[in-house]
Amino acid sequence: MLRRLYDWTLSLAARPSAPYALAAVSFAESSFFPVPPDVMLVPMMLARPDRAWFYALICTITSVLGGILGYVIGLALYDSIGAWLFQLYGLTEGAETFRHAYATYGHWVILLKGLTPIPYKLVTITSGFAGYHLGWFILLSVLTRGARFYMIALLMSKFGPRIKSIIDNNFNVVATLAIVALIGGFVAFRYLF
């Protein structure tokens, strides 16, 4: 099933609607959707390496915009939507500890967590919940999300054919590692914070 999804995503890159689908996933992931845009971004960059930088730009912009929505959820709607999302992911206890860490380490939390497999929506919602300065939040989000997506674009531009060959020849291993990283991000958030 994952192999068909990967092949479908590769074929999606040729469609005119591909950037819009990528933008929607990137936006949603930063505020409520559990799947990171990398699952679309990497195959699309592999299929169209000439558009890797453009795809990175789309992900950066829409991720930050989605992050602002996540921030608003944390700031204004934490008691209803934000708390429900944290409960859905089983992270209510971690959210409180994470919130208190913002008093001293807010900027480092945003910078470091934006680059890791820890779901970014947890950072955005908690940033709003903790009342972190919105201007700094946006600036740090642009830096960290841009760094992440442009790093992927650089790797795909430089090593794309080799990476595609590795993925094609070892798909089950790569898919398993990606799933472990995604689950590991949620687990890390829950137990480290």
Side-chain angles (χ1 to χ4, degrees):
M1 180 176 104
L2 289 175
R3 181 63 189 221
R4 281 189 303 220
L5 180 62
Y6 170 71
D7 292 335
W8 174 78
T9 306
L10 285 173
S11 69
L12 175 71
R15 298 182 187 170
S17 62
Y20 300 106
L22 180 62
V25 169
S26 181
F27 178 88
E29 185 272 336
S30 292
S31 49
F32 61 88
F33 191 59
V35 179
D38 306 66
V39 298
M40 286 186 72
L41 179 64
V42 170
M44 288 174 65
M45 286 180 172
L46 290 173
R48 296 286 309 270
D50 59 312
R51 302 197 80 190
W53 300 103
F54 175 63
Y55 293 150
L57 178 64
I58 288 172
C59 278
T60 301
I61 292 170
T62 56
S63 181
V64 172
L65 292 174
I68 294 170
L69 175 60
Y71 183 96
V72 169
I73 289 170
L75 181 68
L77 304 172
Y78 183 81
D79 291 334
S80 56
I81 296 172
W84 176 78
L85 283 172
F86 274 88
Q87 281 182 330
L88 179 69
Y89 297 129
L91 301 169
T92 307
E93 291 174 26
E96 282 301 316
T97 305
F98 198 57
R99 177 183 161 191
H100 293 296
Y102 267 82
T104 307
Y105 305 110
H107 53 288
W108 291 113
V109 171
I110 294 169
L111 285 171
L112 296 174
K113 300 308 172 229
L115 294 170
T116 67
I118 291 177
Y120 196 59
K121 75 193 85 350
L122 303 177
V123 173
T124 66
I125 293 169
T126 306
S127 294
F129 178 57
Y132 190 77
H133 189 276
L134 180 61
W136 278 111
F137 169 77
I138 292 170
L139 176 64
L140 295 172
S141 292
V142 168
L143 290 173
T144 192
R145 299 308 272 177
R148 177 178 170 176
F149 297 129
Y150 280 99
M151 188 178 352
I152 294 171
L154 177 65
L155 290 172
M156 294 301 133
S157 296
K158 202 163 180 73
F159 305 109
R162 223 177 320 172
I163 292 171
K164 185 173 183 327
S165 175
I166 291 169
I167 291 172
D168 290 343
N169 293 330
N170 304 290
F171 183 78
N172 290 338
V173 172
V174 171
T176 300
L177 291 173
I179 291 169
V180 167
L182 178 65
I183 294 169
F186 282 100
V187 171
F189 182 85
R190 183 173 189 170
Y191 292 105
L192 294 177
F193 301 102

